[in-house]
Amino acid sequence: MKNFTITDQPIHIEEVVGKVIHPHAGAINTFIGTVRELTKGKKTLFLQYEAYVSMAEKKLAQIGEEIEQKWPEARTAITHRIGRLEISDVAVVLAVSTPHRADSYEASRYAIERIKEIVPIWKKEHWEDGEAWIGDQKEQVAYPTGKPEGITYD
């Protein structure tokens, strides 16, 4: 059972949470990212997520390792979905267990921010009046051709 996964299938939240259950854990924090209908005043119809899957899974595992360094007793699982997602579909689920709740909250926030910083996943937004590749997840680099350019992923 892999703790860090990219999938084109619906994500089962309890399955992700089940990967971090541990007798020493007093807290499990989950984050569930969903597709919202309105972004910056535009009505979204659906999103198309794409990724360099093997590199994305390696980067998700790297985030898990970073969390273990910062919070040594933490256990982390992250699943991100790719493909066409409708409004309210679950795009990402992450779960972090720790002995105490404060660490669980902090590690969870750390994980989602790191996903946006380092994991090669990008999306195309489809609106009522058009569509556009959004670029990196922090929306700082545009991907007009639909994928990152000048970046080599093995």
Side-chain angles (χ1 to χ4, degrees):
M1 181 166 52
K2 293 170 47 176
N3 278 24
F4 306 98
T5 307
I6 302 294
T7 183
D8 61 359
Q9 299 298 309
I11 300 171
H12 299 282
I13 297 165
E14 289 183 10
E15 185 178 305
V16 178
V17 172
K19 295 176 181 177
V20 302
I21 291 174
H22 187 270
H24 298 162
I28 297 174
N29 192 295
T30 58
F31 174 85
I32 302 166
T34 60
V35 177
R36 70 175 165 263
E37 184 175 49
L38 295 173
T39 301
K40 299 175 185 172
K42 293 184 104 172
K43 184 175 181 180
T44 301
L45 301 176
F46 64 94
L47 299 179
Q48 178 74 31
Y49 279 97
E50 294 193 10
Y52 289 119
V53 173
S54 64
M55 178 56 71
E57 289 179 339
K58 288 177 186 172
K59 291 296 186 180
L60 292 176
Q62 176 186 327
I63 292 167
E65 292 167 5
E66 291 173 3
I67 288 172
E68 285 180 19
Q69 289 174 358
K70 290 178 174 286
W71 296 277
E73 297 180 78
R75 292 185 179 205
T76 305
I78 305 170
T79 300
H80 202 297
R81 189 169 167 195
I82 57 174
R84 180 178 168 140
L85 279 73
E86 306 296 331
I87 303 305
S88 299
D89 278 354
V90 174
V92 62
V93 174
L94 68 88
V96 179
S97 67
T98 60
H100 304 284
R101 68 179 176 276
D103 288 344
S104 183
Y105 280 118
E106 289 178 37
S108 178
R109 176 66 185 255
Y110 179 85
I112 192 64
E113 297 303 329
R114 288 296 282 159
I115 289 170
K116 292 186 174 288
E117 289 173 359
I118 69 169
V119 180
I121 298 171
W122 58 96
K123 65 184 175 186
K124 187 175 194 178
E125 291 199 13
H126 295 261
W127 307 293
E128 291 178 310
D129 60 348
E131 60 190 32
W133 287 101
I134 300 304
D136 73 315
Q137 292 197 64
K138 294 192 98 173
E139 299 185 19
Q140 295 174 339
V141 179
Y143 298 164
T145 62
K147 62 182 180 181
E149 295 176 2
I151 299 172
T152 303
Y153 294 99
D154 297 325

